[in-house]
């Protein structure tokens, strides 16, 4: 028998791929205590976590905060061959040529300075970096608590609290603060409370609402409360003696109701005295489409002793809603002592849908009762128009003839002495070319 040859197939080799994870760093900073006293030692531990694979060229930098002094390094755990560390002023640096995955604890200590005056939070930040990735950051805060609570307040001559200027913790009793005595003779002046050259608080003669206090004698008082409840007080008399006036601009409707506060300012002496007021437009269209060239607001410019002041009315009330169409009064008032000066200007508010209806006329108000005896007849699109009005009673008898100022689009009718009843106002509208329309408006007079 001839032996049969056996064929053994050749095995196929599959290549093997080795996966190397990307290295990463995480950093945490842990203080040995979260509160400390002056002169105490605080230890910080930086927990550096290396993940994935070997991190190359690792550097950790920690910058110390103010009010501490570096005391020394502790041993790095675990130890790393080739590691170096330096302390250059307030900058601490650890350098590693390479770090395999794992946790590394870097510890050092500082001493809290003894020269602090007020409560302080010591906050410093550490950052780790390496060649292959991003740089994590960690921070930790330690509060150096102060045992004394200091309150600086202002009282009037009857002992009533006017304003608390400061409540703060300090390490020392403020038994000799420097309190300036004033007097306060203008809105720009103030008195201050200082300690060792540092200004702690100031009072400018205003109450908590921002309004000037009345002239008179006041007391600035510094109270220091120790941990046992004992209070040490120091006070200084301050005189307030100044001439103050107010300048306000408001908008009223035809019924005399205030609809918008536009401007309010306290000023020294006569600096806010109003010499005159001008409006950029006497007719506004609050909902005017963008680009339509219609005036959506009016600029209110006051000419005062101290210069021009400008504010803006956009046809809205204090609630932010657009006011109803009609006539409104912009009033600027300056008041000082017993002197009051008032300037007024009229503004017409028109809806954009009514612009161009040059025949539309309204009476504001159209019902006159009690002490209300005057109404204003107004063309809603009255720019450049002049009104002439014939007023008739219901019997058809002519009662009044009214001629409006040229180009104002309005005219006022005083019903004083008129009998109660319904009146018909026949309004003729004129422009430069002549009459453009006629409108009849009903007005009710009721005494």
């Amino acid at each position: 028998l001839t032996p049969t040859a056996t064929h053994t197939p050749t095995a196929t080799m599959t290549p093997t791929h080795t996966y190397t994870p990307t290295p990463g760093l995480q950093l945490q900073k842990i203080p040995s205590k979260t509160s400390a006293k002056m002169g105490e030692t605080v230890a910080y531990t930086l927990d550096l976590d290396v993940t994935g694979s070997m991190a190359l060229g690792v550097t950790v930098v920690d910058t110390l905060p103010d009010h501490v002094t570096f005391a020394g390094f502790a041993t790095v755990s675990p130890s790393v061959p080739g590691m170096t560390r330096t302390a250059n002023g307030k900058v601490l640096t650890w350098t590693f040529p390479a770090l395999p995955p794992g946790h590394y604890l870097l510890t050092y200590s500082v001493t809290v300075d003894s020269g602090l005056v007020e409560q302080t939070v010591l906050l410093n930040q550490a950052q780790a970096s390496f060649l292959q990735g991003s740089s994590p950051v960690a921070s930790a805060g330690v509060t150096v608590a102060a045992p004394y609570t200091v309150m600086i307040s202002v009282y009037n001559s009857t002992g009533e609290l006017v304003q608390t200027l400061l409540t703060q913790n300090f390490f020392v009793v403020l038994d000799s603060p420097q309190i300036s005595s004033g007097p306060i003779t203008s809105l720009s002046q103030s008195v201050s409370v200082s300690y060792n050259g540092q200004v702690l608080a100031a009072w400018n003669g205003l109450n908590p609402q921002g309004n000037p206090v009345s002239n008179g004698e006041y007391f600035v008082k510094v109270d220091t409360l120790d941990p046992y409840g004992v209070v040490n007080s120091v006070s200084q008399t301050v005189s307030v003696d100044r001439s103050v006036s107010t300048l306000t601009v408001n908008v009223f409707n035809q019924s005399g109701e205030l609809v918008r506060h536009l401007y309010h300012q306290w000023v020294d002496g006569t600096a806010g005295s109003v010499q005159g007021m001008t409006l950029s437009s006497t007719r506004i269209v609050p909902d005017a489409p963008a680009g339509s060239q219609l005036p959506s607001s009016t600029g209110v410019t006051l000419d005062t002793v101290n210069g021009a002041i400008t504010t803006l009315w956009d046809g809205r009330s204090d609630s932010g809603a657009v006011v109803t169409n009609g006539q409104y009064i912009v009033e600027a008032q300056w008041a000082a002592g017993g002197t009051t000066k008032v300037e007024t200007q009229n503004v017409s508010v028109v809806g954009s849908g009514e612009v161009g209806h040059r025949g539309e006329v309204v009476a504001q108000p159209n019902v006159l009762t009690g002490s209300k005896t005057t109404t204003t007849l107004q063309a809603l699109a009255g720019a450049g128009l002049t009104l002439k009005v014939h007023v008739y009673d219901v019997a058809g008898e002519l009662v009044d003839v009214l001629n409006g100022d040229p180009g104002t689009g309005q005219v006022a009718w005083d019903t004083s002495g008129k009998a109660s009843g319904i009146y018909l106002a026949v309004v003729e509208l004129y422009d430069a070319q002549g009459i453009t329309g006629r409108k009849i408006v009903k007005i009710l007079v009721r005494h």
Side-chain angles (χ1 to χ4, degrees), residues 146-319:
Y148 299 101
T149 300
V150 174
M151 180 179 292
I152 303 176
S153 306
V154 179
Y155 296 86
N156 62 21
S157 58
T158 61
E160 297 173 323
L161 176 65
V162 176
Q163 189 172 3
T164 298
L165 304 178
L166 177 74
T167 300
Q168 195 165 318
N169 291 334
F170 288 82
F171 288 101
V172 295
V173 177
L174 303 189
D175 53 2
S176 56
Q178 295 79 51
I179 307 175
S180 57
S181 58
I184 298 176
T185 59
S186 73
L187 289 169
S188 61
Q189 285 185 315
S190 62
V191 295
S192 62
V193 180
S194 305
Y195 185 77
N196 286 347
Q198 177 184 352
V199 176
L200 304 179
W203 183 55
N204 55 3
L206 303 182
N207 62 21
Q209 290 72 43
N211 299 327
V213 299
S214 57
N215 290 343
E217 297 294 319
Y218 294 83
F219 299 91
V220 177
K221 188 179 180 185
V222 181
D223 293 321
T224 303
L225 177 68
D226 71 13
Y228 305 102
V230 178
V231 178
N232 181 79
S233 298
V234 179
S235 64
Q236 171 71 54
T237 302
V238 175
S239 175
V240 177
D241 184 14
R242 59 193 173 191
S243 174
V244 177
S245 59
T246 59
L247 178 60
T248 58
V249 181
N250 295 315
V251 180
F252 298 85
N253 62 19
Q254 281 293 97
S255 299
E257 299 169 324
L258 177 61
V259 297
R260 182 70 177 271
H261 296 80
L262 281 184
Y263 184 85
H264 177 88
Q265 182 66 52
W266 296 93
V267 293
D268 283 321
T270 60
S273 178
V274 179
Q275 307 302 302
M277 177 172 62
T278 58
L279 304 181
S280 63
S281 176
T282 59
R283 184 192 66 150
I284 61 176
V285 187
D287 57 353
S292 65
Q293 304 301 314
L294 295 172
S296 60
S297 61
T298 183
V300 183
T301 301
L302 306 179
D303 181 18
T304 73
V305 172
N306 208 35
I309 296 174
T310 300
T311 185
L312 190 73
W313 186 45
D314 56 3
R316 297 178 182 273
S317 66
D318 281 337
S319 67

Side-chain angles (χ1 to χ4, degrees), residues 3 32 35 61 67 85 96 111-113 147 150 219 260 265-268 300 317 367 372 409 414 424 430:
S32 60
S35 63
V61 177
H67 310 300
R85 59 190 179 187
F96 305 89
T111 302
V112 180
D113 294 348
V150 174
F219 299 91
R260 182 70 177 271
Q265 182 66 52
W266 296 93
V267 293
D268 283 321
V300 183
S317 66
V367 177
K372 298 177 183 178
D414 184 359
L424 303 178
Y430 293 82

Side-chain angles (χ1 to χ4, degrees), residues 66-118:
D66 293 333
H67 310 300
V68 300
T69 302
F70 177 65
F73 289 111
T75 303
V76 174
S77 177
S79 61
V80 178
M83 182 271 295
T84 60
R85 59 190 179 187
T86 60
N88 184 8
K90 289 187 176 293
V91 180
L92 311 181
T93 305
W94 291 261
T95 303
F96 305 89
L99 285 178
H103 278 278
Y104 300 87
L105 303 180
L106 321 179
T107 303
Y108 67 93
S109 58
V110 299
T111 302
V112 180
D113 294 348
S114 59
L116 297 176
V117 175
E118 58 190 281

